[in-house]
Amino acid sequence: ASLTDIILSSASSKTALALAYFSKRRGLKVTGLTSPGNVAMLKATGLFDRRRAGGASGRWEKAEGTR
């Protein structure tokens, strides 16, 4: 089985952004998990196919402008 998707937590971190970059280059669909305040930054990078916002509540919601 080949990998088609990857989910990155703390998606606004430098490490996650680098992994998202290389994952996109390999053709993977990238989902980023981040705090609500970082969703716009993730969208601006163009590296994430989906963005999910969450926090201390432990609930992850679809971020605005995602599928």
Side-chain angles (χ1 to χ4, degrees):
S2 63
L3 186 65
T4 59
D5 295 78
I6 188 167
I7 299 172
L8 301 174
S9 61
S10 300
S12 59
S13 71
K14 292 176 192 172
T15 302
L17 290 170
L19 187 53
Y21 172 80
F22 288 109
S23 296
K24 287 299 287 181
R25 288 189 58 166
R26 293 186 61 99
L28 299 177
K29 291 185 180 179
V30 182
T31 299
L33 306 178
T34 192
S35 65
N38 290 328
V39 171
M41 187 277 288
L42 291 188
K43 185 176 181 180
T45 68
L47 297 173
F48 296 88
D49 298 295
R50 297 177 208 94
R51 294 160 298 280
R52 299 291 185 262
S57 69
R59 295 190 60 197
W60 292 95
E61 303 292 334
K62 234 184 210 186
E64 187 176 327
T66 64
R67 299 181 260 159

Short mmCIF file of all heavy atoms in Angstrom, two decimals:
data_model
loop_
_atom_site.label_atom_id
_atom_site.label_comp_id
_atom_site.label_asym_id
_atom_site.label_seq_id
_atom_site.Cartn_x
_atom_site.Cartn_y
_atom_site.Cartn_z
N ALA A 1 0.85 -1.18 0.00
CA ALA A 1 0.00 0.00 0.00
C ALA A 1 0.88 1.24 0.00
O ALA A 1 1.88 1.28 0.70
CB ALA A 1 -0.90 0.00 1.22
N SER A 2 0.50 2.21 -0.78
CA SER A 2 1.29 3.43 -0.84
C SER A 2 0.60 4.55 -0.07
O SER A 2 -0.63 4.57 0.07
CB SER A 2 1.52 3.86 -2.28
OG SER A 2 0.29 4.16 -2.90
N LEU A 3 1.39 5.45 0.44
CA LEU A 3 0.91 6.58 1.23
C LEU A 3 0.29 7.62 0.30
O LEU A 3 0.88 8.00 -0.72
CB LEU A 3 2.08 7.17 2.00
CG LEU A 3 1.79 8.26 3.00
CD1 LEU A 3 0.93 7.73 4.13
CD2 LEU A 3 3.08 8.81 3.56
N THR A 4 -0.92 8.09 0.64
CA THR A 4 -1.59 9.11 -0.19
C THR A 4 -1.90 10.37 0.59
O THR A 4 -2.10 11.42 -0.01
CB THR A 4 -2.90 8.57 -0.77
OG1 THR A 4 -3.76 8.19 0.30
CG2 THR A 4 -2.66 7.39 -1.69
N ASP A 5 -1.97 10.26 1.93
CA ASP A 5 -2.33 11.40 2.78
C ASP A 5 -1.41 11.46 3.98
O ASP A 5 -0.90 10.44 4.42
CB ASP A 5 -3.77 11.26 3.33
CG ASP A 5 -4.81 11.31 2.23
OD1 ASP A 5 -4.97 10.28 1.56
OD2 ASP A 5 -5.43 12.34 2.07
N ILE A 6 -1.25 12.68 4.50
CA ILE A 6 -0.49 12.86 5.73
C ILE A 6 -1.19 13.91 6.57
O ILE A 6 -1.74 14.88 6.04
CB ILE A 6 0.98 13.25 5.44
CG1 ILE A 6 1.81 13.23 6.74
CG2 ILE A 6 1.09 14.58 4.73
CD1 ILE A 6 3.30 13.28 6.49
N ILE A 7 -1.23 13.69 7.89
CA ILE A 7 -1.82 14.65 8.83
C ILE A 7 -0.69 15.15 9.72
O ILE A 7 0.03 14.36 10.33
CB ILE A 7 -2.91 13.99 9.68
CG1 ILE A 7 -4.04 13.48 8.79
CG2 ILE A 7 -3.45 14.98 10.72
CD1 ILE A 7 -5.08 12.65 9.50
N LEU A 8 -0.55 16.47 9.79
CA LEU A 8 0.51 17.08 10.58
C LEU A 8 -0.08 17.87 11.74
O LEU A 8 -0.89 18.78 11.53
CB LEU A 8 1.35 18.02 9.71
CG LEU A 8 2.03 17.36 8.51
CD1 LEU A 8 2.71 18.41 7.66
CD2 LEU A 8 3.02 16.31 8.97
N SER A 9 0.32 17.53 12.96
CA SER A 9 -0.09 18.32 14.12
C SER A 9 0.90 19.46 14.30
O SER A 9 2.01 19.43 13.74
CB SER A 9 -0.15 17.44 15.37
OG SER A 9 1.11 16.91 15.66
N SER A 10 0.50 20.48 15.05
CA SER A 10 1.33 21.68 15.22
C SER A 10 1.81 22.16 13.84
O SER A 10 2.98 22.43 13.61
CB SER A 10 2.53 21.41 16.13
OG SER A 10 2.11 21.00 17.40
N ALA A 11 0.86 22.23 12.92
CA ALA A 11 1.18 22.45 11.51
C ALA A 11 1.85 23.78 11.21
O ALA A 11 2.47 23.94 10.16
CB ALA A 11 -0.09 22.32 10.68
N SER A 12 1.77 24.75 12.12
CA SER A 12 2.42 26.03 11.87
C SER A 12 3.88 26.04 12.33
O SER A 12 4.58 27.03 12.12
CB SER A 12 1.64 27.16 12.55
OG SER A 12 1.58 26.94 13.94
N SER A 13 4.36 24.94 12.89
CA SER A 13 5.76 24.88 13.32
C SER A 13 6.67 24.76 12.10
O SER A 13 6.26 24.30 11.03
CB SER A 13 5.99 23.70 14.26
OG SER A 13 5.93 22.48 13.53
N LYS A 14 7.91 25.16 12.26
CA LYS A 14 8.86 25.10 11.15
C LYS A 14 9.05 23.67 10.66
O LYS A 14 9.14 23.43 9.45
CB LYS A 14 10.21 25.69 11.58
CG LYS A 14 10.17 27.17 11.82
CD LYS A 14 11.51 27.65 12.34
CE LYS A 14 11.39 29.06 12.87
NZ LYS A 14 12.63 29.47 13.54
N THR A 15 9.11 22.74 11.57
CA THR A 15 9.31 21.33 11.19
C THR A 15 8.12 20.83 10.38
O THR A 15 8.30 20.18 9.34
CB THR A 15 9.50 20.46 12.44
OG1 THR A 15 10.62 20.96 13.17
CG2 THR A 15 9.71 19.01 12.08
N ALA A 16 6.90 21.12 10.83
CA ALA A 16 5.71 20.68 10.11
C ALA A 16 5.61 21.35 8.74
O ALA A 16 5.21 20.71 7.76
CB ALA A 16 4.46 20.95 10.93
N LEU A 17 5.97 22.62 8.65
CA LEU A 17 5.93 23.32 7.36
C LEU A 17 6.92 22.69 6.38
O LEU A 17 6.60 22.51 5.20
CB LEU A 17 6.23 24.80 7.54
CG LEU A 17 5.13 25.60 8.24
CD1 LEU A 17 5.63 27.00 8.59
CD2 LEU A 17 3.88 25.68 7.39
N ALA A 18 8.09 22.33 6.86
CA ALA A 18 9.07 21.67 5.98
C ALA A 18 8.55 20.31 5.53
O ALA A 18 8.66 19.96 4.34
CB ALA A 18 10.40 21.52 6.70
N LEU A 19 7.96 19.55 6.44
CA LEU A 19 7.41 18.24 6.08
C LEU A 19 6.25 18.40 5.10
O LEU A 19 6.11 17.62 4.16
CB LEU A 19 6.98 17.49 7.32
CG LEU A 19 6.55 16.05 7.14
CD1 LEU A 19 7.59 15.23 6.39
CD2 LEU A 19 6.25 15.41 8.49
N ALA A 20 5.42 19.43 5.30
CA ALA A 20 4.32 19.69 4.37
C ALA A 20 4.85 19.99 2.97
O ALA A 20 4.33 19.50 1.97
CB ALA A 20 3.46 20.84 4.88
N TYR A 21 5.90 20.79 2.91
CA TYR A 21 6.51 21.15 1.62
C TYR A 21 6.97 19.89 0.87
O TYR A 21 6.64 19.70 -0.30
CB TYR A 21 7.69 22.10 1.87
CG TYR A 21 8.49 22.37 0.62
CD1 TYR A 21 8.05 23.30 -0.32
CD2 TYR A 21 9.69 21.70 0.38
CE1 TYR A 21 8.79 23.55 -1.47
CE2 TYR A 21 10.42 21.94 -0.77
CZ TYR A 21 9.97 22.86 -1.68
OH TYR A 21 10.69 23.10 -2.82
N PHE A 22 7.73 19.05 1.54
CA PHE A 22 8.24 17.85 0.88
C PHE A 22 7.13 16.84 0.59
O PHE A 22 7.19 16.13 -0.42
CB PHE A 22 9.38 17.23 1.69
CG PHE A 22 10.63 18.05 1.61
CD1 PHE A 22 11.08 18.77 2.69
CD2 PHE A 22 11.36 18.14 0.42
CE1 PHE A 22 12.22 19.56 2.62
CE2 PHE A 22 12.49 18.93 0.32
CZ PHE A 22 12.93 19.63 1.43
N SER A 23 6.12 16.79 1.44
CA SER A 23 4.99 15.90 1.19
C SER A 23 4.23 16.32 -0.06
O SER A 23 3.82 15.48 -0.87
CB SER A 23 4.05 15.89 2.41
OG SER A 23 4.71 15.36 3.53
N LYS A 24 3.99 17.63 -0.22
CA LYS A 24 3.30 18.13 -1.42
C LYS A 24 4.11 17.81 -2.67
O LYS A 24 3.55 17.45 -3.70
CB LYS A 24 3.07 19.64 -1.33
CG LYS A 24 2.00 20.06 -0.35
CD LYS A 24 0.64 19.51 -0.67
CE LYS A 24 0.04 20.17 -1.87
NZ LYS A 24 -1.31 19.65 -2.15
N ARG A 25 5.42 17.95 -2.59
CA ARG A 25 6.27 17.64 -3.74
C ARG A 25 6.15 16.17 -4.15
O ARG A 25 6.34 15.84 -5.32
CB ARG A 25 7.72 17.97 -3.44
CG ARG A 25 7.96 19.48 -3.41
CD ARG A 25 9.39 19.81 -3.33
NE ARG A 25 10.09 19.23 -4.48
CZ ARG A 25 11.31 19.55 -4.84
NH1 ARG A 25 11.97 20.45 -4.16
NH2 ARG A 25 11.89 18.98 -5.87
N ARG A 26 5.85 15.31 -3.20
CA ARG A 26 5.68 13.88 -3.49
C ARG A 26 4.25 13.54 -3.88
O ARG A 26 3.90 12.39 -4.10
CB ARG A 26 6.09 13.04 -2.29
CG ARG A 26 7.59 13.14 -2.01
CD ARG A 26 8.01 12.20 -0.91
NE ARG A 26 7.75 10.81 -1.25
CZ ARG A 26 8.66 9.96 -1.71
NH1 ARG A 26 9.88 10.36 -1.89
NH2 ARG A 26 8.33 8.72 -1.96
N GLY A 27 3.37 14.55 -3.92
CA GLY A 27 2.00 14.34 -4.37
C GLY A 27 1.02 13.91 -3.29
O GLY A 27 -0.07 13.45 -3.61
N LEU A 28 1.40 14.05 -2.02
CA LEU A 28 0.50 13.66 -0.94
C LEU A 28 -0.52 14.76 -0.65
O LEU A 28 -0.25 15.94 -0.88
CB LEU A 28 1.30 13.40 0.34
CG LEU A 28 2.33 12.28 0.28
CD1 LEU A 28 3.08 12.20 1.60
CD2 LEU A 28 1.66 10.96 -0.03
N LYS A 29 -1.68 14.36 -0.15
CA LYS A 29 -2.67 15.32 0.34
C LYS A 29 -2.31 15.61 1.79
O LYS A 29 -2.17 14.68 2.60
CB LYS A 29 -4.08 14.76 0.23
CG LYS A 29 -4.53 14.64 -1.19
CD LYS A 29 -5.97 14.21 -1.27
CE LYS A 29 -6.36 14.12 -2.74
NZ LYS A 29 -7.72 13.69 -2.91
N VAL A 30 -2.17 16.89 2.12
CA VAL A 30 -1.67 17.28 3.44
C VAL A 30 -2.78 17.96 4.25
O VAL A 30 -3.40 18.91 3.78
CB VAL A 30 -0.47 18.24 3.31
CG1 VAL A 30 0.07 18.61 4.68
CG2 VAL A 30 0.63 17.61 2.46
N THR A 31 -3.02 17.45 5.46
CA THR A 31 -3.95 18.05 6.40
C THR A 31 -3.15 18.61 7.57
O THR A 31 -2.30 17.93 8.12
CB THR A 31 -4.95 17.01 6.93
OG1 THR A 31 -5.71 16.50 5.84
CG2 THR A 31 -5.91 17.63 7.95
N GLY A 32 -3.43 19.87 7.91
CA GLY A 32 -2.73 20.51 9.02
C GLY A 32 -3.64 20.75 10.20
O GLY A 32 -4.75 21.27 10.04
N LEU A 33 -3.19 20.35 11.38
CA LEU A 33 -3.91 20.61 12.63
C LEU A 33 -3.22 21.77 13.34
O LEU A 33 -2.00 21.72 13.54
CB LEU A 33 -3.90 19.38 13.53
CG LEU A 33 -4.40 18.07 12.93
CD1 LEU A 33 -4.27 16.95 13.95
CD2 LEU A 33 -5.82 18.21 12.46
N THR A 34 -3.97 22.80 13.69
CA THR A 34 -3.37 23.98 14.31
C THR A 34 -4.38 24.69 15.19
O THR A 34 -5.55 24.32 15.23
CB THR A 34 -2.81 24.93 13.22
OG1 THR A 34 -1.99 25.91 13.83
CG2 THR A 34 -3.92 25.60 12.43
N SER A 35 -3.93 25.72 15.86
CA SER A 35 -4.84 26.53 16.68
C SER A 35 -5.63 27.47 15.76
O SER A 35 -5.18 27.79 14.65
CB SER A 35 -4.05 27.34 17.70
OG SER A 35 -3.22 28.27 17.05
N PRO A 36 -6.79 27.93 16.20
CA PRO A 36 -7.61 28.81 15.36
C PRO A 36 -6.86 30.06 14.87
O PRO A 36 -7.07 30.51 13.76
CB PRO A 36 -8.78 29.18 16.26
CG PRO A 36 -8.92 28.02 17.20
CD PRO A 36 -7.50 27.58 17.46
N GLY A 37 -5.96 30.56 15.68
CA GLY A 37 -5.22 31.76 15.30
C GLY A 37 -4.21 31.57 14.20
O GLY A 37 -3.72 32.53 13.62
N ASN A 38 -3.88 30.32 13.86
CA ASN A 38 -2.86 30.05 12.83
C ASN A 38 -3.45 29.53 11.52
O ASN A 38 -2.70 29.26 10.58
CB ASN A 38 -1.84 29.04 13.36
CG ASN A 38 -0.97 29.63 14.42
OD1 ASN A 38 -0.67 30.81 14.41
ND2 ASN A 38 -0.56 28.81 15.37
N VAL A 39 -4.74 29.41 11.43
CA VAL A 39 -5.38 28.85 10.23
C VAL A 39 -5.08 29.71 9.00
O VAL A 39 -4.75 29.19 7.93
CB VAL A 39 -6.89 28.69 10.44
CG1 VAL A 39 -7.58 28.34 9.14
CG2 VAL A 39 -7.17 27.62 11.48
N ALA A 40 -5.17 31.02 9.12
CA ALA A 40 -4.94 31.90 7.97
C ALA A 40 -3.51 31.76 7.46
O ALA A 40 -3.27 31.77 6.24
CB ALA A 40 -5.23 33.35 8.34
N MET A 41 -2.56 31.61 8.35
CA MET A 41 -1.17 31.44 7.94
C MET A 41 -0.98 30.15 7.18
O MET A 41 -0.31 30.11 6.15
CB MET A 41 -0.25 31.48 9.17
CG MET A 41 1.23 31.49 8.84
SD MET A 41 1.99 29.88 8.52
CE MET A 41 2.00 29.17 10.14
N LEU A 42 -1.62 29.08 7.65
CA LEU A 42 -1.52 27.80 6.93
C LEU A 42 -2.11 27.92 5.54
O LEU A 42 -1.54 27.42 4.57
CB LEU A 42 -2.24 26.69 7.69
CG LEU A 42 -1.65 26.19 9.00
CD1 LEU A 42 -2.41 24.96 9.46
CD2 LEU A 42 -0.18 25.92 8.89
N LYS A 43 -3.24 28.58 5.44
CA LYS A 43 -3.88 28.76 4.13
C LYS A 43 -2.96 29.55 3.19
O LYS A 43 -2.81 29.21 2.02
CB LYS A 43 -5.21 29.48 4.29
CG LYS A 43 -5.99 29.60 3.01
CD LYS A 43 -7.35 30.22 3.23
CE LYS A 43 -8.10 30.30 1.93
NZ LYS A 43 -9.42 30.91 2.09
N ALA A 44 -2.31 30.57 3.73
CA ALA A 44 -1.45 31.43 2.91
C ALA A 44 -0.23 30.68 2.36
O ALA A 44 0.28 31.04 1.30
CB ALA A 44 -0.99 32.64 3.72
N THR A 45 0.21 29.63 3.03
CA THR A 45 1.39 28.90 2.54
C THR A 45 1.08 28.12 1.28
O THR A 45 1.97 27.85 0.48
CB THR A 45 1.91 27.89 3.60
OG1 THR A 45 0.96 26.85 3.78
CG2 THR A 45 2.26 28.58 4.90
N GLY A 46 -0.19 27.73 1.11
CA GLY A 46 -0.56 26.91 -0.05
C GLY A 46 -0.10 25.46 0.05
O GLY A 46 -0.20 24.72 -0.91
N LEU A 47 0.40 25.06 1.22
CA LEU A 47 0.94 23.71 1.40
C LEU A 47 -0.08 22.70 1.89
O LEU A 47 0.18 21.50 1.84
CB LEU A 47 2.11 23.74 2.39
CG LEU A 47 3.33 24.55 1.97
CD1 LEU A 47 4.33 24.63 3.12
CD2 LEU A 47 3.97 23.94 0.74
N PHE A 48 -1.22 23.18 2.37
CA PHE A 48 -2.18 22.29 3.03
C PHE A 48 -3.46 22.18 2.23
O PHE A 48 -4.06 23.18 1.85
CB PHE A 48 -2.48 22.81 4.44
CG PHE A 48 -1.27 22.79 5.34
CD1 PHE A 48 -0.40 23.86 5.38
CD2 PHE A 48 -0.98 21.67 6.10
CE1 PHE A 48 0.73 23.84 6.17
CE2 PHE A 48 0.14 21.64 6.90
CZ PHE A 48 1.01 22.72 6.93
N ASP A 49 -3.87 20.94 1.96
CA ASP A 49 -5.13 20.70 1.25
C ASP A 49 -6.31 20.90 2.19
O ASP A 49 -7.37 21.33 1.78
CB ASP A 49 -5.15 19.27 0.70
CG ASP A 49 -4.04 19.07 -0.31
OD1 ASP A 49 -4.10 19.73 -1.37
OD2 ASP A 49 -3.13 18.28 -0.03
N ARG A 50 -6.10 20.56 3.46
CA ARG A 50 -7.14 20.71 4.48
C ARG A 50 -6.50 21.29 5.73
O ARG A 50 -5.36 20.98 6.04
CB ARG A 50 -7.77 19.36 4.83
CG ARG A 50 -8.48 18.71 3.68
CD ARG A 50 -9.01 17.33 4.10
NE ARG A 50 -9.08 16.46 2.96
CZ ARG A 50 -8.14 15.60 2.58
NH1 ARG A 50 -7.05 15.47 3.27
NH2 ARG A 50 -8.29 14.85 1.52
N ARG A 51 -7.29 22.10 6.43
CA ARG A 51 -6.82 22.68 7.68
C ARG A 51 -7.88 22.44 8.74
O ARG A 51 -9.06 22.60 8.48
CB ARG A 51 -6.57 24.18 7.53
CG ARG A 51 -5.42 24.46 6.56
CD ARG A 51 -5.44 25.88 6.00
NE ARG A 51 -6.62 26.19 5.21
CZ ARG A 51 -6.81 25.84 3.94
NH1 ARG A 51 -5.92 25.14 3.30
NH2 ARG A 51 -7.91 26.19 3.30
N ARG A 52 -7.46 22.02 9.91
CA ARG A 52 -8.38 21.80 11.02
C ARG A 52 -7.90 22.62 12.20
O ARG A 52 -6.71 22.60 12.54
CB ARG A 52 -8.42 20.32 11.42
CG ARG A 52 -8.91 19.39 10.32
CD ARG A 52 -10.39 19.61 10.03
NE ARG A 52 -10.91 18.67 9.07
CZ ARG A 52 -11.06 18.92 7.78
NH1 ARG A 52 -10.68 20.09 7.29
NH2 ARG A 52 -11.58 18.03 6.98
N ALA A 53 -8.84 23.34 12.81
CA ALA A 53 -8.51 24.17 13.96
C ALA A 53 -9.02 23.51 15.23
O ALA A 53 -10.12 22.96 15.26
CB ALA A 53 -9.15 25.56 13.80
N GLY A 54 -8.22 23.56 16.27
CA GLY A 54 -8.61 22.97 17.54
C GLY A 54 -7.92 23.68 18.68
O GLY A 54 -7.28 24.71 18.49
N GLY A 55 -8.05 23.13 19.83
CA GLY A 55 -7.42 23.76 20.97
C GLY A 55 -7.55 22.90 22.21
O GLY A 55 -7.64 21.68 22.14
N ALA A 56 -7.58 23.57 23.34
CA ALA A 56 -7.60 22.89 24.63
C ALA A 56 -8.83 22.00 24.81
O ALA A 56 -8.80 21.05 25.58
CB ALA A 56 -7.53 23.92 25.75
N SER A 57 -9.91 22.30 24.10
CA SER A 57 -11.14 21.51 24.25
C SER A 57 -10.97 20.09 23.71
O SER A 57 -11.74 19.20 24.04
CB SER A 57 -12.29 22.17 23.50
OG SER A 57 -12.07 22.10 22.10
N GLY A 58 -9.96 19.90 22.85
CA GLY A 58 -9.75 18.58 22.25
C GLY A 58 -10.62 18.33 21.04
O GLY A 58 -10.57 17.28 20.44
N ARG A 59 -11.44 19.31 20.66
CA ARG A 59 -12.30 19.18 19.47
C ARG A 59 -11.61 19.83 18.28
O ARG A 59 -11.06 20.90 18.39
CB ARG A 59 -13.64 19.86 19.72
CG ARG A 59 -14.43 19.17 20.83
CD ARG A 59 -15.82 19.68 20.89
NE ARG A 59 -16.45 19.42 19.61
CZ ARG A 59 -17.57 20.00 19.18
NH1 ARG A 59 -18.18 20.84 19.96
NH2 ARG A 59 -18.09 19.72 18.01
N TRP A 60 -11.67 19.17 17.14
CA TRP A 60 -11.08 19.70 15.91
C TRP A 60 -12.21 20.02 14.94
O TRP A 60 -13.01 19.16 14.62
CB TRP A 60 -10.11 18.70 15.31
CG TRP A 60 -8.93 18.55 16.19
CD1 TRP A 60 -8.74 17.59 17.15
CD2 TRP A 60 -7.80 19.39 16.24
NE1 TRP A 60 -7.55 17.81 17.78
CE2 TRP A 60 -6.94 18.90 17.25
CE3 TRP A 60 -7.41 20.53 15.54
CZ2 TRP A 60 -5.74 19.50 17.56
CZ3 TRP A 60 -6.20 21.13 15.85
CH2 TRP A 60 -5.38 20.62 16.84
N GLU A 61 -12.24 21.25 14.49
CA GLU A 61 -13.29 21.72 13.59
C GLU A 61 -12.68 22.01 12.23
O GLU A 61 -11.52 22.39 12.10
CB GLU A 61 -13.92 23.00 14.14
CG GLU A 61 -14.51 22.86 15.53
CD GLU A 61 -15.72 21.96 15.58
OE1 GLU A 61 -16.40 21.82 14.57
OE2 GLU A 61 -15.96 21.38 16.65
N LYS A 62 -13.50 21.88 11.19
CA LYS A 62 -13.10 22.29 9.86
C LYS A 62 -12.81 23.78 9.89
O LYS A 62 -13.61 24.56 10.38
CB LYS A 62 -14.24 22.04 8.88
CG LYS A 62 -13.90 21.23 7.70
CD LYS A 62 -15.10 21.15 6.80
CE LYS A 62 -15.05 19.84 6.07
NZ LYS A 62 -16.10 19.73 5.08
N ALA A 63 -11.67 24.17 9.40
CA ALA A 63 -11.33 25.59 9.35
C ALA A 63 -12.02 26.24 8.16
O ALA A 63 -12.30 25.58 7.16
CB ALA A 63 -9.83 25.77 9.26
N GLU A 64 -12.30 27.49 8.26
CA GLU A 64 -12.97 28.22 7.19
C GLU A 64 -12.18 28.11 5.90
O GLU A 64 -10.97 28.20 5.89
CB GLU A 64 -13.09 29.70 7.59
CG GLU A 64 -13.91 30.51 6.62
CD GLU A 64 -14.09 31.93 7.10
OE1 GLU A 64 -14.17 32.16 8.32
OE2 GLU A 64 -14.15 32.82 6.24
N GLY A 65 -12.89 27.89 4.80
CA GLY A 65 -12.25 27.82 3.50
C GLY A 65 -11.63 26.48 3.17
O GLY A 65 -10.81 26.37 2.29
N THR A 66 -12.00 25.43 3.90
CA THR A 66 -11.47 24.10 3.60
C THR A 66 -12.59 23.18 3.14
O THR A 66 -13.75 23.48 3.35
CB THR A 66 -10.77 23.47 4.83
OG1 THR A 66 -11.76 23.27 5.84
CG2 THR A 66 -9.65 24.31 5.33
N ARG A 67 -12.19 22.10 2.53
CA ARG A 67 -13.16 21.11 2.07
C ARG A 67 -13.57 20.22 3.20
O ARG A 67 -12.92 20.00 4.14
CB ARG A 67 -12.54 20.25 0.97
CG ARG A 67 -12.15 21.04 -0.21
CD ARG A 67 -11.57 20.15 -1.26
NE ARG A 67 -10.12 20.29 -1.15
CZ ARG A 67 -9.27 19.43 -1.59
NH1 ARG A 67 -9.66 18.34 -2.16
NH2 ARG A 67 -7.98 19.60 -1.49
#
